[in-house]
């Protein structure tokens, strides 16, 4: 089983039209057509993050997760093309295993202990960094230090699947999402959970643990690097959003539209 | 193929006594090889070597096609070129693949119309300059960032050089006469100044060197669209995407041009600089 993720950003003026399209057309077409392969098709609405939390490549609209028992073949395969969106918006897309490969912190608590906000991060190692070197730093050096953030409640991570997973369905050749709205090459998806935005701010900005800098943070050879936590350049190699614990929409369960 | 104007050297670069090599006229490309990589003549993809079969380069003899280019049925791009290099030795090539990484002028000397810049990390520079480090260890594991025109305009290219075992060679067969050296790795390329959303194109590169009477032969393979993860080649192209034919042919032709020039200049510059680093 694998999980596909689409994280979306949207100018506020497009919100009403895009919500209508997403709920009525797009999610319904996916659930109706690919329901036999889909185990879950859920979407989380981004929280209204404070300004300092938006400095980390913040995506402000929806994060949709699909869990696939298996992935249907790409291509039209008997379906119509997708109904185009009223506007095209920036998205990031990635696929991961259904379960994290590293559960760094917080698994030994009870779900009844209290609700959390989830900092949902998608990142790639900077240009010039080999995947295995980036992974070695992140998993063996950085994660143990990040797990010491005061007030951190949960921390786990998934590898991005490679090669890229071909998704089913087709856009119309004349109504295809433009390339400059899509970022699709990623290395990892990580979640860090906190009690509140105040707890997040304290853990990340006001009272962070001491971090070991990765090699790329201090060598100008790496063109898109930063020496600031999380040591990935926001909007370039790191995007994120904040969501709640349960989805706002469970499309597979709720789709009732008349569709072939 | 239209080539860009060469980069003007800085005063500091010009002051180096070996800067004359940068202004040496670029040699005409090997005509026979150029003919084999013509834009209108892609090779039969059925005769291509796949990256999973890289170990077959250790077999004696030659493949049915040693110089050519094509799209593979899975969308990837394939390039092979066999450059004969009379008068060139493995010592010279080892030195070259270490020395050229130290400065953009060094890299430019190789092929001034298409090689604009090179940089390596501080950690890698220390390795290249370490007199106690074996020459191959100055190459394996190094990451080069080059600015290069391989036929479709200037590109930022990151090359992760690898040990031959990481590329997939069986080391029990990795010895003369099967092979004298391999310079290879994997990398990403993108147009100079690419935006974060722009696709970074992966490739695996292998320069497989054998000694032949009077010199060496440089058997090059590129697999465009593939990367290497945990020693395994992975096709990274999204569904339905093909590497453009112009990019494949352009790289094949560039390879002929840059290695024709290198084979002609290498014995002379190696002798002049005494094989020393820096």
């Amino acid at each position: 089983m694998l999980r596909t993720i689409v994280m979306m950003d949207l100018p506020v003026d497009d919100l009403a039209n895009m919500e209508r399209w997403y709920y009525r057309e797009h999610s319904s077409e996916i659930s109706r057509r690919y329901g036999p392969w889909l185990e879950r098709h859920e979407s989380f609405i981004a929280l209204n993050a404070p300004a300092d939390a938006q400095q980390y490549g913040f995506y402000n609209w929806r994060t949709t997760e699909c869990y696939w028992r298996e992935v249907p073949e790409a291509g039209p395969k008997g379906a119509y093309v997708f109904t185009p969106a009223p506007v095209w918006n920036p998205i990031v897309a990635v696929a991961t295993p259904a379960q994290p490969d590293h559960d760094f912190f917080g698994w030994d608590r009870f779900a009844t202990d209290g609700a959390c906000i989830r900092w949902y991060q998608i990142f790639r190692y900077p240009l010039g960094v080999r995947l295995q070197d980036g992974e070695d730093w992140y998993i063996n050096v950085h994660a143990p230090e990040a797990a010491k953030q005061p007030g951190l409640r949960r921390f786990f991570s998934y590898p991005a699947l490679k090669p890229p997973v071909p998704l089913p369905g087709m856009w119309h050749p004349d109504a295809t999402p433009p390339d400059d709205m899509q970022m699709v090459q990623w290395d990892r998806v990580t979640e860090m959970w906190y009690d509140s935005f105040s707890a997040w701010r304290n853990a990340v900005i006001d009272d962070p643990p001491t971090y070991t800098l990765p090699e790329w943070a201090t060598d100008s050879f790496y063109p898109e690097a930063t020496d600031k936590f999380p040591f990935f350049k926001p909007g370039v190699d790191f995007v994120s959003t904040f969501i709640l614990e349960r989805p706002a929409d469970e499309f597979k369960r709720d789709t009732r539209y008349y569709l072939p | 193929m239209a080539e860009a104007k060469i980069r003007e050297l800085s005063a500091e670069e010009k002051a180096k006594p070996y800067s004359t090599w940068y202004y040496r006229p670029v040699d005409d490309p090997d005509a026979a090889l150029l003919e084999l990589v013509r834009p209108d003549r892609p090779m039969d993809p059925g005769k291509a070597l796949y990256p999973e079969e890289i170990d077959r380069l250790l077999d004696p003899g030659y493949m049915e096609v040693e110089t050519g280019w094509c799209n593979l049925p899975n969308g990837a791009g394939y390039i092979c070129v066999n450059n004969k290099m009379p008068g060139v030795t493995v010592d010279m090539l080892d030195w070259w693949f270490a020395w050229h990484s130290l400065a953009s002028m060094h890299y430019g000397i190789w092929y001034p119309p298409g090689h604009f810049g090179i940089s390596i990390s501080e950690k890698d520079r220390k390795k290249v300059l370490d007199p106690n480090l074996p020459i191959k260890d100055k190459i394996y594991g190094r990451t080069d960032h080059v600015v290069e025109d391989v036929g479709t305009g200037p590109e930022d290219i990151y090359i992760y050089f690898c040990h031959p075992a990481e590329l997939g060679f069986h080391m029990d067969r990795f010895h003369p006469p099967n092979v004298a050296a391999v310079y290879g790795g994997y990398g990403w390329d993108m147009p100079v100044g690419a935006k974060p959303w722009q696709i970074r194109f992966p490739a695996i590169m292998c320069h497989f060197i054998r000694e032949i009477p009077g010199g060496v032969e440089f058997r090059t393979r590129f697999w465009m669209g593939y990367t290497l993860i945990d020693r395994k080649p992975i096709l990274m192209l999204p569904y339905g995407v093909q590497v453009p034919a112009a990019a494949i042919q352009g790289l094949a032709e560039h390879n002929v041009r840059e290695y024709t020039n290198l084979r002609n200049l290498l014995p002379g510059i190696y002798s002049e600089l005494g094989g020393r680093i820096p």
Side-chain angles (χ1 to χ4, degrees), chain A residues 1-6 22 30-31 33-44 63-72 94-101 118 120 156-159 161 165 167-168 189-191 193 243-247 249-253:
Chain A
M1 177 177 284
L2 62 86
R3 174 182 67 156
T4 55
I5 302 164
V6 179
Y22 198 78
I30 289 172
S31 270
R33 290 170 188 166
Y34 306 116
W37 290 269
L38 271 171
E39 185 62 40
R40 281 184 177 180
H41 180 196
E42 299 175 340
S43 191
F44 299 78
T63 298
T64 297
E65 296 181 334
C66 290
Y67 286 78
W68 302 86
R69 282 189 292 271
E70 60 180 303
V71 182
V94 65
T96 73
Q99 294 179 304
D101 65 341
R118 299 161 59 187
Y120 199 110
F156 49 89
S157 185
Y158 307 73
L161 290 177
V165 175
L167 289 176
V189 177
T190 287
E191 292 198 34
W193 297 13
I243 59 175
L244 293 175
E245 292 167 322
R246 70 167 304 281
D249 298 293
E250 297 177 58
F251 294 123
K252 194 178 169 203
R253 183 195 65 188

Side-chain angles (χ1 to χ4, degrees), chain B residues 21 86-89 92 262-272:
Chain B
W21 287 96
V88 172
T89 65
M92 292 179 195
L262 182 64
R263 81 178 177 197
N264 292 343
L265 69 85
L266 186 51
I269 192 170
Y270 179 78
S271 170
E272 181 177 313

Side-chain angles (χ1 to χ4, degrees), chain B residues 49-59 63 78 163-170 173-174 182-185 204-208 219-223 228 231 233:
Chain B
L49 179 76
Y50 282 71
E52 296 85 353
E53 311 170 294
I54 198 168
D55 200 55
R56 282 181 51 205
L57 286 167
L58 290 167
D59 295 344
M63 310 246 159
Y78 176 71
H163 188 280
E166 195 179 344
L167 285 168
F169 289 105
H170 290 100
R173 296 209 301 144
F174 197 89
V182 161
Y183 311 101
I204 298 175
M205 168 187 86
C206 176
H207 300 303
F208 183 95
R219 302 170 78 201
T220 289
R221 298 291 184 277
F222 277 96
W223 293 276
L228 206 60
R231 302 185 174 207

Side-chain angles (χ1 to χ4, degrees), chain A residues 52-258:
Chain A
D52 47 7
Q54 293 190 23
Q55 303 306 307
Y56 296 86
F58 181 65
Y59 271 50
N60 71 354
W61 186 31
R62 285 178 174 270
T63 298
T64 297
E65 296 181 334
C66 290
Y67 286 78
W68 302 86
R69 282 189 292 271
E70 60 180 303
V71 182
E73 290 179 34
K77 303 290 177 184
Y80 291 121
V81 291
F82 293 126
T83 302
V87 296
W88 295 116
N89 59 309
I91 68 158
V92 299
V94 65
T96 73
Q99 294 179 304
D101 65 341
H102 288 86
D103 195 328
F104 296 117
F105 182 79
W107 57 270
D108 55 347
R109 296 175 68 106
F110 296 102
T112 47
D113 277 354
C116 287
I117 59 167
R118 299 161 59 187
W119 189 16
Y120 199 110
Q121 312 161 2
I122 301 174
F123 63 86
R124 59 186 177 188
Y125 300 106
L127 275 170
V129 178
R130 293 172 196 235
L131 177 62
Q132 65 266 35
D133 292 342
E135 289 278 271
D136 182 48
W137 170 80
Y138 188 78
I139 292 162
N140 299 315
V141 177
H142 182 66
E145 293 172 347
K148 294 176 184 164
Q149 287 181 358
L152 180 69
R153 291 281 302 273
R154 205 71 184 86
F155 179 19
F156 49 89
S157 185
Y158 307 73
L161 290 177
K162 293 167 185 178
V165 175
L167 289 176
M170 298 283 286
W171 295 97
H172 191 279
D174 298 330
T176 298
D179 289 343
D180 63 358
M181 293 283 184
Q182 307 175 63
M183 292 178 70
V184 298
Q185 293 176 306
W186 301 101
D187 291 327
R188 257 192 189 275
V189 177
T190 287
E191 292 198 34
M192 302 178 89
W193 297 13
Y194 306 88
D195 288 341
S196 63
F197 278 111
S198 295
W200 171 86
R201 183 179 299 105
N202 185 61
V204 172
I205 297 175
D206 296 338
D207 188 23
T210 301
Y211 295 113
T212 302
L213 295 180
E215 183 199 347
W216 64 77
T218 54
D219 187 339
S220 60
F221 168 73
Y222 303 96
E224 296 284 6
T226 172
D227 60 358
K228 304 283 189 300
F229 174 86
F231 310 107
F232 303 104
K233 200 161 184 183
V236 175
D237 293 323
F238 185 95
V239 296
S240 69
T241 193
F242 292 86
I243 59 175
L244 293 175
E245 292 167 322
R246 70 167 304 281
D249 298 293
E250 297 177 58
F251 294 123
K252 194 178 169 203
R253 183 195 65 188
D254 295 339
T255 296
R256 292 290 181 269
Y257 291 101
Y258 190 102

